[in-house]
Amino acid sequence: MTSIHAQTVFDAATARQKAAEAEQLAADVAEFERKGGKVQRLGNTPIDRSGISRRQVVEGGADRRKAAKAGKP
């Protein structure tokens, strides 16, 4: 196997490294917000597929989704 298929053990980040990175990121975001910055937190709203096919979703049918919701053909 090549490195594409399997990550070597010594290359993996440790839990301690991940925790330190998460803590640093949280501190950076808190500092940004304290200075007046705003962070947009996105949810996981699913796509309403009742009026559109999966292929249209994949191809980026935003206009077709809007038209389907409005009841237009």
Side-chain angles (χ1 to χ4, degrees):
M1 271 207 274
T2 65
S3 61
I4 294 172
H5 300 102
Q7 185 176 16
T8 53
V9 175
F10 62 84
D11 243 0
T14 65
R16 189 178 344 176
Q17 288 171 324
K18 288 181 181 180
E21 289 174 3
E23 188 176 313
Q24 181 62 46
L25 181 60
D28 290 344
V29 170
E31 181 181 351
F32 176 73
E33 288 178 329
R34 191 170 23 91
K35 290 182 178 180
K38 294 185 180 182
V39 177
Q40 181 181 9
R41 288 177 172 78
L42 303 176
N44 59 348
T45 307
I47 296 173
D48 178 18
R49 296 189 182 140
S50 61
I52 189 168
S53 71
R54 183 178 180 99
R55 181 176 180 175
Q56 290 170 326
V57 171
V58 171
E59 291 175 350
D63 294 331
R64 288 174 279 195
R65 282 195 301 274
K66 289 176 187 174
K69 281 188 175 183
K72 298 176 185 173

